[in-house]
Amino acid sequence: MTEQTSSSTTHFGFKQVESTQKASMVADVFHSVAAKYDVMNDLMSVGIHRLWKRFTIDCSGVRPGQKILDLAGGTGDLTAKFSRLVGPKGQVVLADINESMVKVGRDKLRDMGIVGNVNYVQANAEELPFPDNHFDVITIAFGLRNVTDKDKALASMYRVLKPGGRLLVLEFSKPTNEQFAKAYDWYSFNILPKIGQIVANDGDSYQYLAESIRMHPDQATLEGMMQDVGFEQTSYHNLTGGIVALHRGFKF
Amino acid sequence: MPAPQLALAAIEGAVNRLLSLDPETVSRLSKLAGKQLAVNIKELNMTVVVAFSDRIDLLLPDESVLEKSSDKQDEWDCKITLSLWSIKELQDPSRITQLIKQDKLDVQGDMQIAQDFSSLMKELEIDWEEHLSHYTGDVIAHQVMKTGKKVHETALSQLQKLGKMISEGAIEEKKVAAPAIAVVHFSDQVHQVRADVERLQSRVDIIAAKLKD
Ligand SMILES: C[S@@+](CC[C@H](N)C(=O)[O-])C[C@H]1O[C@@H](n2cnc3c(N)ncnc32)[C@H](O)[C@@H]1O
């Protein structure tokens, strides 16, 4: 299953839209949410996203003094932790396509007293504005799904990664258990939009969400895409039954 | 997974809460800031990395990380290997030498870090029993608690239990899965809950219009 069905259109959920428009549609979606993102994240997630993120950090092998890119970093959960772990001699770059997200992230981390070794950059994952061979670790958590040209983005990450560095992709994936996958799918398409309709008077957005998760490449496909742009020793780890997967790849 | 992450998150939270209650934390931690101490627990065959800054972070480096670091001696500033049984004894810095002599503790790298860590734990008076029973009661072992018995066990047996659960992965992932599904939808695209109806309507209209074109 490939994301790109022709050279000029892409998915917005199941709908085909012009590639050039997807980025701005996605940006739109995140502009309005930026300020409330964290509150809702915690309120609704009871912290499970935190465990997935912990696992991501555990797999990063981060060391003091390193340079880390937290791509599609949003409000900076991973950045905050990386900032402490790389210490004053290290550097963390939080990059996000969305200006409001970057701003909220920056304000939040500053309030937490995280200053000095974090830089904030508005950037598109497809065209990263960083030199070749620059970062020791790149993470992209729940961001790749929203990127229009994933191959291009992965290639761009590969370019800015140092030899010996690693990429970690945390993203929704495909539940491994057949039965569970069916239940999950059914839930996503039948129950979730209804809840969305009742709670938020907005079933359509939930429909989009469910679609975008289903359209995202499954574990093996994403691993293949990483290999195609040059990543080596790739592997993935299913979390919570494959609802989420952490993919890993190295550049040598 | 993420059972061990859950365990470490709970312990990390408890320790940092204690640190934040202690006005002298800053000076105590400043000695250790920027250092990383790897603690290998024999019975669990598990290495936890304690990373010091203005607080502590606990990491559970996965195999790929450990493999890569094994050929580099200096990967952690200090590495201690000990038995689950000696964790509590580590809280007494004056015992360290003795523990080493008794082969209960192995320290590689900067010994001072082990000492400082030990005194930090001592000064904080971390009550492992309290924290772990709270933890096992609240989070991990719902099943254990269902027996209705109050948990009045020693820190060691708590630790043992914890270790067992971690190593056997006894936390039923599936039980977490159901709420998780609900949760991930909300947490990932939360804006949609809050989005104002008009804005979304207009967005949908735009999409619809574009699709017609
Ligand atoms: C669901 S949020 C995840 C935020 C954060 N990483 C986390 O896990 O909490 C997705 C983020 O991806 C960003 N994003 C979407 N498309 C992007 C692109 N092409 N390049 C960079 N960031 C992008 C959005 O602006 C948004 O902040």
Side-chain angles (χ1 to χ4, degrees), chain A residues 192-214:
Chain A
L192 194 77
K194 290 203 180 98
I195 297 178
Q197 186 59 44
I198 294 162
V199 176
N201 194 10
D202 175 24
D204 288 355
S205 291
Y206 279 86
Q207 183 75 18
Y208 160 70
L209 172 61
E211 289 170 6
S212 80
I213 290 174
R214 199 203 255 172

Side-chain angles (χ1 to χ4, degrees), chain A residues 16 29 33 40-41 44 52 54 58 63 81 84 145 166 172 192 200 202 205-206 209 239 248, chain B residues 1 5 12 36 57-58 60 62 64 75 183-193 200 211:
Chain A
Q16 296 291 308
V29 155
V33 61
M40 293 303 286
N41 224 354
M44 312 311 286
W52 294 331
R54 272 193 95 91
D58 285 345
R63 299 285 303 139
K81 205 154 183 177
R84 291 195 298 270
R145 190 167 37 86
R166 72 176 78 195
F172 289 104
L192 194 77
D202 175 24
S205 291
Y206 279 86
L209 172 61
L239 302 173
R248 165 171 44 201
Chain B
M1 166 45 240
Q5 273 72 26
E12 181 185 294
Q36 295 196 352
D57 284 282
L58 298 178
L60 191 70
D62 86 326
S64 78
E75 188 73 12
V183 146
V184 294
H185 286 94
F186 280 113
S187 63
D188 185 52
Q189 301 272 332
V190 137
H191 59 283
Q192 287 155 353
V193 185
L200 276 168
L211 290 170

